[in-house]
Amino acid sequence: MGQTEPSFEQIYDSTKQSVLRYIASKCINICDIQDIYQETYARVFEALSQGKQIKDAQAFAIGTAKHCLAHYYTAMQRLRARVSLSSRGSDDELDEISSGEDIELAVINKDLLDSIFSEICSQSADVQKMFYLHYFMDIPLDETAKILKMNENTVRQRLYRAVRLIRRKYTRRKEDD
């Protein structure tokens, strides 16, 4: 009997972490990670729908992510990403506030989060990736360093330096208010 082809769900479940790590380590702007991630799995799904035989799901998914990264970052997009790193999330979070919550506090918190996010986006691409991998994906520093092909002490120093800068800036801001 022949081997059955893996389903999209099986491929996704077995590759999602490594694909996300790969994309995060190669992207120019952390704001692009989710778009490229979604495009990658849309293409994987499309390939499966067209009957493509996938022997190595991991290699296929990473290869698709590599292709999506190259396609996403055309020369013009690379230029735009370097010039403007200020993309922010939407205001949908404020729409979800229940009537019992303090709206003013929610607006202040959203403003503070947006400011901190902008501060992170103003850092170098390496530091942005470090933040994403370590804090968003909860990857330990030693593994983050391996993903980024950097020395662990370098990653630790840059990340902690950026965190100290943000703490100083926003602690003062809070005290000044």
Side-chain angles (χ1 to χ4, degrees):
M1 248 187 171
Q3 195 176 9
T4 61
E5 285 296 313
S7 69
F8 174 77
E9 289 79 16
Q10 291 169 325
I11 292 173
Y12 178 76
D13 288 340
S14 67
T15 62
K16 63 184 175 185
Q17 283 296 88
S18 58
V19 167
L20 192 54
R21 289 177 182 183
Y22 177 79
I23 292 169
S25 71
K26 302 294 183 188
C27 73
I28 293 173
N29 184 342
I30 61 171
C31 298
D32 301 334
I33 293 171
Q34 289 301 318
D35 291 340
I36 297 167
Y37 184 72
Q38 289 176 358
E39 179 64 22
T40 297
Y41 282 105
R43 289 185 182 201
V44 168
F45 183 80
E46 184 180 332
L48 286 172
S49 297
Q50 293 174 354
K52 179 160 179 72
Q53 302 291 320
I54 299 174
K55 294 178 183 169
D56 184 350
Q58 187 78 12
F60 181 74
I62 294 290
T64 303
K66 185 177 183 178
H67 179 75
C68 288
L69 277 159
H71 181 72
Y72 191 86
Y73 290 120
T74 62
M76 186 55 85
Q77 287 170 322
R78 287 181 190 176
L79 179 60
R80 264 189 252 132
R82 297 243 185 255
V83 172
S84 172
L85 294 174
S86 62
S87 299
R88 292 193 222 175
S90 67
D91 293 333
D92 293 340
E93 297 89 18
L94 290 178
D95 295 339
E96 296 174 8
I97 297 172
S98 66
S99 59
E101 289 183 341
D102 182 3
I103 300 277
E104 185 177 340
L105 182 60
V107 169
I108 291 169
N109 286 340
K110 181 170 180 348
D111 181 48
L112 179 62
L113 288 174
D114 285 347
S115 296
I116 291 171
F117 183 75
S118 294
E119 185 68 35
I120 292 168
C121 287
S122 72
Q123 301 290 319
S124 71
D126 285 342
V127 173
Q128 290 180 42
K129 291 173 190 179
M130 290 172 201
F131 264 96
Y132 187 84
L133 292 168
H134 184 66
Y135 291 110
F136 181 76
M137 292 186 63
D138 202 28
I139 296 174
L141 286 175
D142 61 333
E143 201 171 328
T144 298
K146 287 178 189 172
I147 292 168
L148 297 174
K149 297 180 177 124
M150 298 175 83
N151 183 298
E152 182 180 349
N153 286 332
T154 302
V155 170
R156 181 177 283 114
Q157 288 173 352
R158 288 183 185 175
L159 193 57
Y160 290 165
R161 188 177 307 132
V163 169
R164 270 195 314 271
L165 176 79
I166 290 169
R167 277 192 184 132
R168 274 191 226 126
K169 183 174 183 175
Y170 291 98
T171 301
R172 271 192 227 126
R173 178 180 170 187
K174 184 179 176 184
E175 291 169 355
D176 292 342
D177 289 343

